[in-house]
Amino acid sequence: MATVTTPADRSTDNTAPRSEPSGGGRDWWNNAVFYQIYPRSFADGGTDGVGDLPGIEDKLGYLELLGIDALWLSPVMRSPMADHGYDVSDPRDIDPLFGDLAAMDSLVAAAHARGIKVTMDLVPNHTSVEHEWFQAALEAAPGSPERARYIFRDGKGADGSQPPNNWPSIFGGPAWTRVTESDGKPGQWYLHIFAKEQPDLNWENPDVFADLEKTLRFWLERGIDGFRIDVAHGMAKPDDLPDHDWNTNELLRNSDDDPRFNNPAVHAIHRWIRTVMDEYPNAVTVGEIWVRDNVRFGEYIRPDELHLGFNFRLAEAEFSADAIRAAIENSIRAVKDVGGTPTWTLSNHDVEREVTRYGGGETGTSRARAMLLVELALPGTCFLYNGSELGLPNANLPDSVLQDPVWERSGHTERGRDGCRVPIPWEGSAPPFGFTTGTGTWLPIPADWASLTVESQLERIDSTLSLYRTALELRAQRPEFSGEEVDWYGSPTNCFAFRRTGGLVCVLNASTESIAMPPGEVLLSSTPLTAGKLPPNAAAWLI
Ligand code: GLC
């Protein structure tokens, strides 16, 4: 019979202190569980069917009950919403769609009163075309200081009608758009790695640094506990903007030699951001880093750069014990040498929800539940995406409602990310499921999500929401969730088990047979055990 064997090299130590975080300090984020809110989709305090800040504040009781430590809000700054807030026209104001500065202050105070930290998305790689700087750049002449804050170049060819290089936009189509000059003639081109409404800033320009510093201080002085830094591996560009041999241009999954990202000059930018952050020692930065090489990844979280970096390996791994173990080992290895903290995430607003990624239906749900236990068992910082606690799948949306710029820019070949951004079903038996007091929602909520509402899951002990609550509570309270080391057990094919230094054992069964468990008391399992055995597509915690 398949069984798990105990490693001989390290003895269980239940007396170990609570996690001694790496990075030299006991900073709150090193062991925290962050909950990502996609503000459009979390809760609508009004009637327009779009989530907002009052809606979030109204649900703080739910978030406290869930047991998370900190919020990460996707962008709520002023934006024309070409990329739903990742195109910022004023980084020091709240978009009226979401509320105003008073609503933000109120949310932060109310969250703090419940012991929940609040972090915000910051978008330093680009602005919106509606940002006053870009508007001024359009009006100004080539070579002007206004244009020098962005990346304007003359086109190629005798009449400049060819883009300056062959870079594609991440969202499809070219990464360059040609502007019309004040004389009415076609003129220079500007670079936009993302949509044409998101011009890239020139990070060699001192104005750009000075303005980001203003933005950092603006929010930190208002009590914000830190920032998720969008495209933290972007910003710096190679001097000559060379052509590239494009093999892939997959959405947010760039390769390490992609000249649009991961330029070594980016580290000076992070070091500079850190000097500002160091004046606010209780605030954290976590960077979005799509970098595969472990050494190059680790460079971003050297002690004088970002505090944390998103490692997306777990979100990309297929549901197989080998792939997941490799993702875990690599994520730990990437930070170890620089004394950093590992981070774990199964999904966010850019990737397919885990239930769907793992096969959908009951199997996908079982696997997603299992992976939650794997994630929360690991040493370091965890990021949960709103709706994952309900086991939401990606929604199948009709073409007519799609809003992600990817859909248009790819010429309707890529459906984009709307399927993982559908509003949260709160209560009741039909859409809009209490999301809004209005009638419609910005993306339709599938009618068959009635059994997935918060209300119905709170009542069921076997629901995914109940599993999340129990798991988060155990993780926060049990001393066995401590220590930075992970020791692997010998285990049957397509299964694994590891033990934290503090004594927690996590077993994953990704095989098709039930397996016997290692010795110990079962704290929690993602699926009930059958005759003491762990069924397929399940995980368990033991002490
Ligand atoms: C990041 C965000 C993504 C956004 C892009 C451009 O990757 O996570 O949602 O579209 O940056 O800002």
Short mmCIF file of all heavy atoms in Angstrom, two decimals, residues 83 86 126 171 194 198 228 230-231 252 288 349-350 417 421, ligand 1:
data_model
loop_
_atom_site.label_atom_id
_atom_site.label_comp_id
_atom_site.label_asym_id
_atom_site.label_seq_id
_atom_site.Cartn_x
_atom_site.Cartn_y
_atom_site.Cartn_z
N ASP A 83 -7.48 50.12 -18.48
CA ASP A 83 -7.04 48.82 -17.96
C ASP A 83 -7.49 48.73 -16.49
O ASP A 83 -6.75 48.28 -15.62
CB ASP A 83 -5.51 48.69 -18.10
CG ASP A 83 -5.00 47.29 -17.76
OD1 ASP A 83 -5.80 46.33 -17.76
OD2 ASP A 83 -3.78 47.15 -17.49
N TYR A 86 -5.17 50.34 -13.87
CA TYR A 86 -3.72 50.22 -14.08
C TYR A 86 -3.25 51.26 -15.10
O TYR A 86 -2.13 51.21 -15.57
CB TYR A 86 -3.33 48.80 -14.48
CG TYR A 86 -3.37 47.86 -13.29
CD1 TYR A 86 -4.47 47.05 -13.04
CD2 TYR A 86 -2.31 47.81 -12.39
CE1 TYR A 86 -4.51 46.21 -11.93
CE2 TYR A 86 -2.34 46.98 -11.28
CZ TYR A 86 -3.45 46.19 -11.06
OH TYR A 86 -3.48 45.38 -9.96
N HIS A 126 4.15 53.10 -15.94
CA HIS A 126 3.45 53.88 -16.96
C HIS A 126 2.38 54.74 -16.31
O HIS A 126 2.05 54.57 -15.14
CB HIS A 126 2.81 52.96 -18.01
CG HIS A 126 2.11 51.76 -17.41
ND1 HIS A 126 2.72 50.54 -17.24
CD2 HIS A 126 0.86 51.61 -16.90
CE1 HIS A 126 1.88 49.69 -16.68
NE2 HIS A 126 0.74 50.30 -16.45
N PHE A 171 -0.30 43.29 -24.48
CA PHE A 171 -1.72 43.03 -24.73
C PHE A 171 -2.02 42.80 -26.21
O PHE A 171 -3.18 42.79 -26.62
CB PHE A 171 -2.56 44.22 -24.24
CG PHE A 171 -2.56 44.42 -22.75
CD1 PHE A 171 -2.92 45.65 -22.22
CD2 PHE A 171 -2.25 43.39 -21.88
CE1 PHE A 171 -2.96 45.85 -20.84
CE2 PHE A 171 -2.27 43.58 -20.50
CZ PHE A 171 -2.62 44.82 -19.98
N PHE A 194 2.14 48.11 -22.49
CA PHE A 194 0.79 47.56 -22.31
C PHE A 194 -0.13 48.23 -23.34
O PHE A 194 0.27 48.37 -24.49
CB PHE A 194 0.37 47.73 -20.84
CG PHE A 194 1.24 46.90 -19.92
CD1 PHE A 194 2.42 47.43 -19.37
CD2 PHE A 194 0.94 45.58 -19.65
CE1 PHE A 194 3.25 46.66 -18.57
CE2 PHE A 194 1.77 44.80 -18.85
CZ PHE A 194 2.92 45.34 -18.31
N GLN A 198 -1.57 53.42 -22.01
CA GLN A 198 -0.65 53.31 -20.87
C GLN A 198 0.79 53.61 -21.30
O GLN A 198 1.65 52.73 -21.36
CB GLN A 198 -0.72 51.88 -20.30
CG GLN A 198 -2.08 51.57 -19.67
CD GLN A 198 -2.27 50.09 -19.39
OE1 GLN A 198 -2.28 49.27 -20.31
NE2 GLN A 198 -2.41 49.71 -18.13
N ARG A 228 1.88 47.33 -3.32
CA ARG A 228 2.21 46.29 -4.30
C ARG A 228 2.68 47.07 -5.52
O ARG A 228 1.99 47.97 -6.00
CB ARG A 228 0.95 45.46 -4.61
CG ARG A 228 1.16 44.37 -5.66
CD ARG A 228 0.68 44.83 -7.02
NE ARG A 228 0.63 43.74 -7.99
CZ ARG A 228 0.38 43.91 -9.27
NH1 ARG A 228 0.16 45.12 -9.75
NH2 ARG A 228 0.35 42.89 -10.09
N ASP A 230 3.40 47.46 -9.22
CA ASP A 230 3.03 46.89 -10.51
C ASP A 230 4.25 46.86 -11.44
O ASP A 230 5.02 47.83 -11.49
CB ASP A 230 1.94 47.78 -11.11
CG ASP A 230 1.29 47.20 -12.34
OD1 ASP A 230 0.70 46.12 -12.24
OD2 ASP A 230 1.36 47.85 -13.40
N VAL A 231 4.41 45.77 -12.18
CA VAL A 231 5.50 45.63 -13.14
C VAL A 231 6.82 46.09 -12.53
O VAL A 231 7.55 46.91 -13.10
CB VAL A 231 5.21 46.39 -14.46
CG1 VAL A 231 6.05 45.83 -15.60
CG2 VAL A 231 3.76 46.32 -14.87
N LEU A 252 1.79 38.67 -19.64
CA LEU A 252 2.42 38.68 -18.31
C LEU A 252 3.26 37.45 -18.04
O LEU A 252 3.43 37.04 -16.90
CB LEU A 252 1.35 38.84 -17.23
CG LEU A 252 0.46 40.07 -17.38
CD1 LEU A 252 -0.63 40.09 -16.33
CD2 LEU A 252 1.25 41.35 -17.33
N GLU A 288 5.69 43.01 -8.24
CA GLU A 288 5.27 42.02 -9.23
C GLU A 288 6.48 41.71 -10.10
O GLU A 288 6.96 42.57 -10.82
CB GLU A 288 4.14 42.60 -10.10
CG GLU A 288 3.65 41.61 -11.13
CD GLU A 288 2.80 42.23 -12.25
OE1 GLU A 288 2.99 43.44 -12.53
OE2 GLU A 288 2.01 41.53 -12.85
N HIS A 349 -5.67 38.68 -10.23
CA HIS A 349 -6.59 39.22 -11.23
C HIS A 349 -6.08 39.07 -12.66
O HIS A 349 -6.73 39.53 -13.58
CB HIS A 349 -6.83 40.70 -10.91
CG HIS A 349 -5.57 41.50 -11.07
ND1 HIS A 349 -4.45 41.31 -10.27
CD2 HIS A 349 -5.21 42.45 -11.96
CE1 HIS A 349 -3.48 42.12 -10.67
NE2 HIS A 349 -3.93 42.82 -11.69
N ASP A 350 -4.91 38.49 -12.83
CA ASP A 350 -4.33 38.34 -14.17
C ASP A 350 -4.33 36.90 -14.67
O ASP A 350 -4.02 36.65 -15.83
CB ASP A 350 -2.86 38.82 -14.18
CG ASP A 350 -2.74 40.33 -14.02
OD1 ASP A 350 -3.62 41.06 -14.50
OD2 ASP A 350 -1.73 40.77 -13.42
N ARG A 417 -8.68 38.61 -19.25
CA ARG A 417 -8.71 38.23 -17.84
C ARG A 417 -10.05 38.45 -17.16
O ARG A 417 -10.16 38.30 -15.95
CB ARG A 417 -7.61 39.01 -17.12
CG ARG A 417 -6.22 38.75 -17.69
CD ARG A 417 -5.24 39.86 -17.37
NE ARG A 417 -5.59 41.08 -18.09
CZ ARG A 417 -4.94 42.24 -17.96
NH1 ARG A 417 -3.91 42.34 -17.15
NH2 ARG A 417 -5.33 43.30 -18.65
N ARG A 421 -12.40 37.96 -12.94
CA ARG A 421 -12.68 39.25 -12.31
C ARG A 421 -14.17 39.49 -12.06
O ARG A 421 -14.58 40.62 -11.81
CB ARG A 421 -12.13 40.37 -13.21
CG ARG A 421 -10.63 40.31 -13.37
CD ARG A 421 -10.13 41.33 -14.37
NE ARG A 421 -8.67 41.36 -14.40
CZ ARG A 421 -7.96 42.17 -15.18
NH1 ARG A 421 -8.57 43.01 -16.00
NH2 ARG A 421 -6.63 42.13 -15.15
C1 GLC B 1 0.29 44.25 -14.05
C2 GLC B 1 -1.11 44.09 -13.54
C3 GLC B 1 -2.03 43.93 -14.71
C4 GLC B 1 -1.94 45.16 -15.58
C5 GLC B 1 -0.49 45.42 -15.99
C6 GLC B 1 -0.33 46.78 -16.58
O1 GLC B 1 0.76 43.12 -14.65
O2 GLC B 1 -1.18 43.04 -12.63
O3 GLC B 1 -3.35 43.72 -14.31
O4 GLC B 1 -2.74 45.02 -16.70
O5 GLC B 1 0.38 45.35 -14.91
O6 GLC B 1 -0.37 47.76 -15.58
#
